[in-house]
Amino acid sequence: MTDPAPLRRPHHDGSALYVADPAPRPGQRVRVRVRVPHASGVTEVHLRQVTDGEPEFRPATRVASDDLESWWEAEVVCHNPVTGYRFVLSGETSGYQWLNGTGVHDRDVPDAADFRLVTHDPPPDWALDAVVYQVYPDRFARSAAAPPVAQVAPDWAIPAGWDDPVTAEPHLAGRQLFGGDLDGIAEHLDHLERLGVTTLYLTPFFPAGSSHRYDAATFDAVDPVLGGDEALRRLVRAAHERGLRVLGDLTTNHTGDRHEWFVAAQTEPAAPERDRYLYDETGDYVSWLGVPSLPKIDHESTSVAERLFDAPDATVRRWLAGPDGLDGWRVDVANMTGRWGAQDVNHEVARRMRRAVQETRADGLLIAEHCHDHSRDVDGDGWHGVMNYSGFTRPLWTWLRHPGTAPSFLGSPLMVPRLGGAAVADTMDEFTALVPWRSRAHSFTLVGSHDTTRIRTLVESPDEVVAAAGLLLTLPGVPMITYGDEIGMLGSFGEDGRRPMPWDESRWDNRIFAAYQELIRARRDLEPLRRGGMRWVHTGDDVLVFLRETAEQVAMVAVSRAAYRLGVPARDLPGVDERRVVVGGAALQVDGDVTLSSDRAGVGVWVWSRKVP
């Protein structure tokens, strides 16, 4: 029998099951609930919130009870834009305890992981139901009418055939041009619908000096190599007609050295564009991580704010405007934007960009690239969420990576370790507890991206790819799939993974593709997987089991990396039975105890659900 402790501990999270209004107004009183299993021994509950920097306490009231647990309720008064709160618990057998975002503690703990309610305008609701598909335009598809690559290749480009390998030479990789274009993406929207995704995310489409286009030469036009402005409008229109949303990718931290601003700044010292860049003590321009071709933008410049965010035709607004406008932005290197030495205006940049998004497209989404602890930057008034590498991707890698390989991760000098499920769950909990629930729920979860090792290369077999997809599509957050992951595309590092999409389906791993389809379908059909709370059931070395719950429905998910068998007392798992197997074929028996067991292979994903009586 497994340790049932996770389900016998008091629990609260920021989901609608526990918080009456996840988007409160300033001054609003919000009812919050705590689930207290009788086995915890807790008989008294108080809420502690911090108001104007000072803690205050109020008692919670028991509002419901059954044979298993009680529900307690208290109010949070949203006097400040961000209100932190936690619960203090007591009982004859439980003693004195705190409950915060990382769980129950028998001692005092810092406020960093307290729950939070945020009164800033909420992120767009549609994002909670989204499944995002990331496309690298040069490598996804060439349109039927596209001219030969050599005919349209800019001076920087090395034309390549669609089936040519990506070069291993770092200084040449960004110059390879395979000739994918925006009309090619439009011609393959059937693939996105067939997979089941809801949102297309395009890496940059501006003219640049590389195929990745993170070194923009202007923000005012779409690269002619991709088809130009009209091709983007055609693509967005076609996507919208199918009910798909489209996100763009903007680099606010730097431009390319071919950018019209930078050329003007370097040509004429008195040019007004000169103050749009940072300069060091020698008078030389500052570049991103010392890369000379990527001069860093000075966000203390009023003209930068005007041209990127504030003017009616500013970059952020221009590409969102109108019926054929984008539905939001992903921001490249958002963690470094507005930061250099003593300068730190990152939060002001995020607020300006969010205001520009909201004023142009009220339901626009704003996601920041962030590769480590993002708790300083996601309090709810700037970025809606982040690419959650720290609280999702990195712990997932440590659990599923092939024992015989250990790739590095985004610049780390050390290889990725291989850890058990308990360490993985703790890592996820500790990082995600540092931000408001709605920031977590609106952050991208991802098993990799165009900047990392491909998931199929990271793991030992296709089964582990399915396990990774299982966590991706069932844990809280907005799942983002990098093109080709759904067919088992390989790639040892970022550039190597940026291979052209093979459209010959005989080259696909169709079992992986079918699993992605099935898991996306489960997410679409089961509201708890999109909007539910989150409780761990079991965190063993080789299996992670958790509940996603709403007031109307509960889903239980088991994801394993090896064969297992575990039992949970049936009284600890109300509302889950063997009659609703959604994904996979693991054995689930209910005969006094709930017994989960995998088949011989031992690797997979299983989801059960049931309506709450």
Side-chain angles (χ1 to χ4, degrees):
M1 184 65 61
T2 187
D3 176 12
L7 293 178
R8 297 191 179 187
R9 297 174 190 145
H11 180 78
H12 174 84
D13 59 47
S15 68
L17 183 60
Y18 297 92
V19 177
D21 188 346
R25 300 175 303 280
Q28 183 175 337
R29 304 176 76 90
V30 179
R31 290 180 294 105
V32 296
R33 301 200 305 166
V34 186
R35 171 187 240 131
V36 181
H38 300 320
S40 69
V42 171
T43 57
E44 187 175 357
V45 179
H46 287 76
L47 178 141
R48 191 208 78 170
Q49 74 167 74
V50 177
T51 304
D52 295 335
E54 179 71 12
E56 59 176 309
F57 292 82
R58 59 181 61 93
T61 303
R62 193 195 312 256
V63 293
S65 187
D66 58 24
D67 292 341
L68 179 69
E69 61 196 6
S70 295
W71 288 84
W72 296 71
E73 187 176 282
E75 285 189 333
V76 175
V77 181
C78 297
H79 173 71
N80 301 117
V82 179
T83 301
Y85 65 97
R86 62 169 74 177
F87 299 94
V88 60
L89 316 170
S90 64
E92 289 187 9
T93 58
S94 66
Y96 164 92
Q97 297 175 322
W98 291 110
L99 171 63
N100 67 2
T102 53
V104 177
H105 306 273
D106 295 324
R107 55 180 174 77
D108 287 351
V109 289
D111 292 1
D114 279 4
F115 306 108
R116 293 171 181 80
L117 283 178
V118 180
T119 62
H120 305 297
D121 291 339
D125 185 70
W126 63 262
L128 294 175
D129 299 322
V131 178
V132 178
Y133 190 75
Q134 181 191 40
V135 165
Y136 189 93
D138 182 56
R139 311 289 165 87
F140 188 65
R142 282 174 53 76
S143 60
V149 180
Q151 186 175 317
V152 297
D155 58 357
W156 55 262
I158 302 172
W162 199 253
D163 291 323
D164 288 352
V166 174
T167 180
E169 295 293 331
H171 66 288
L172 297 179
R175 296 176 56 198
Q176 269 190 306
L177 189 73
F178 287 84
D181 57 16
L182 299 178
D183 284 328
I185 299 171
E187 291 169 9
H188 285 81
L189 291 178
D190 284 347
H191 176 71
L192 277 67
E193 288 191 310
R194 180 183 168 196
L195 180 59
V197 301
T198 67
T199 303
L200 168 64
Y201 152 41
L202 302 169
T203 59
F205 47 70
F206 301 117
S210 67
S211 61
H212 56 70
R213 297 184 173 86
Y214 285 103
D215 54 337
T218 182
F219 295 132
D220 294 335
V222 174
D223 195 335
V225 176
L226 295 177
D229 293 11
E230 284 303 316
L232 180 62
R233 278 189 277 271
R234 287 192 296 271
L235 171 58
V236 175
R237 186 181 310 124
H240 285 173
E241 287 173 353
R242 294 170 182 254
L244 300 170
R245 296 182 186 262
V246 184
L247 305 177
D249 196 332
L250 182 63
T251 300
T252 56
N253 177 73
H254 55 264
T255 68
D257 60 358
R258 298 176 179 227
H259 197 282
E260 55 199 6
W261 297 354
F262 189 70
V263 171
Q266 294 296 100
T267 303
E268 176 52 60
E273 292 84 358
R274 187 168 176 82
D275 77 347
R276 297 178 186 177
Y277 294 92
L278 287 163
Y279 302 89
D280 63 21
E281 62 278 1
T282 71
D284 197 8
Y285 69 89
V286 175
S287 59
W288 177 68
L289 298 182
V291 180
S293 62
L294 301 175
K296 188 170 170 66
I297 293 173
D298 184 356
H299 280 279
E300 290 187 338
S301 162
T302 57
S303 69
V304 165
E306 183 77 3
R307 294 312 314 145
L308 282 181
F309 311 123
D310 296 345
D313 62 344
T315 299
V316 168
R317 297 171 186 263
R318 171 179 179 167
W319 300 105
L320 295 176
D324 299 333
L326 300 171
D327 296 287
W329 290 103
R330 176 265 194 185
V331 183
D332 180 57
V333 202
N335 57 306
M336 297 183 72
T337 294
R339 287 179 171 140
W340 185 69
Q343 181 190 97
D344 190 345
V345 292
N346 181 272
H347 289 192
E348 177 58 25
V349 172
R351 285 191 289 267
R352 278 182 179 270
M353 190 167 184
R354 178 159 170 172
R355 183 168 61 244
V357 169
Q358 289 180 317
E359 290 177 356
T360 311
R361 185 170 290 272
D363 65 348
L365 181 63
L366 184 59
I367 298 294
E369 181 185 29
H370 212 301
C371 299
H372 61 287
D373 179 355
H374 50 268
S375 57
R376 287 181 56 203
D377 298 339
V378 192
D379 250 353
D381 61 342
W383 321 120
H384 289 139
V386 299
M387 299 181 78
N388 194 4
Y389 284 107
S390 57
F392 185 84
T393 314
R394 292 174 66 104
L396 179 143
W397 278 31
T398 63
W399 193 53
L400 288 176
R401 73 126 172 117
H402 191 310
T405 63
S408 59
F409 187 94
L410 294 175
S412 171
L414 302 177
M415 298 295 123
V416 173
R418 182 172 164 88
L419 303 175
V424 168
D426 287 347
T427 304
M428 289 181 172
D429 287 347
E430 287 175 13
F431 276 102
T432 54
L434 298 176
V435 300
W437 174 269
R438 77 182 192 191
S439 296
R440 176 187 185 180
H442 286 85
S443 289
F444 283 2
T445 52
L446 57 160
V447 300
S449 70
H450 69 296
D451 286 324
T452 72
T453 300
R454 287 273 184 175
I455 187 64
R456 179 64 189 89
T457 298
L458 177 80
V459 301
E460 189 169 8
S461 75
D463 290 334
E464 280 92 354
V465 176
V466 174
L471 292 175
L472 174 71
L473 288 155
T474 60
L475 282 170
V478 180
M480 190 209 84
I481 300 164
T482 301
Y483 79 98
D485 275 356
E486 77 278 13
I487 61 169
M489 188 180 289
L490 299 169
S492 297
F493 50 91
E495 286 289 355
D496 186 41
R498 300 173 184 177
R499 304 178 184 190
M501 179 78 169
W503 289 107
D504 176 359
E505 294 191 24
S506 68
R507 298 167 59 186
W508 295 8
D509 188 317
N510 287 293
R511 190 160 65 89
I512 290 177
F513 184 70
Y516 266 91
Q517 287 179 302
E518 193 171 6
L519 285 162
I520 292 171
R521 190 178 306 114
R523 183 180 179 87
R524 180 196 66 206
D525 292 345
L526 297 173
E527 185 180 36
L529 299 185
R530 305 188 310 276
R531 295 169 176 263
M534 163 74 190
R535 284 198 295 161
W536 294 108
V537 174
H538 177 73
T539 56
D541 273 357
D542 296 321
V543 62
L544 297 170
V545 186
F546 52 92
L547 299 177
R548 301 294 312 279
E549 299 166 293
T550 65
E552 295 78 27
Q553 191 174 26
V554 60
M556 184 169 72
V557 181
V559 182
S560 62
R561 70 179 185 184
Y564 69 91
R565 182 178 179 85
L566 65 92
V568 181
R571 65 181 180 275
D572 290 323
L573 281 175
V576 177
D577 66 18
E578 60 183 334
R579 294 188 295 274
R580 295 181 61 87
V581 176
V582 178
V583 177
L588 172 65
Q589 299 173 351
V590 182
D591 50 3
D593 291 331
V594 177
T595 302
L596 301 174
S597 61
S598 67
D599 59 18
R600 236 176 0 181
V603 181
V605 183
W606 300 275
V607 183
W608 300 266
S609 74
R610 182 179 170 183
K611 296 290 185 180
V612 174

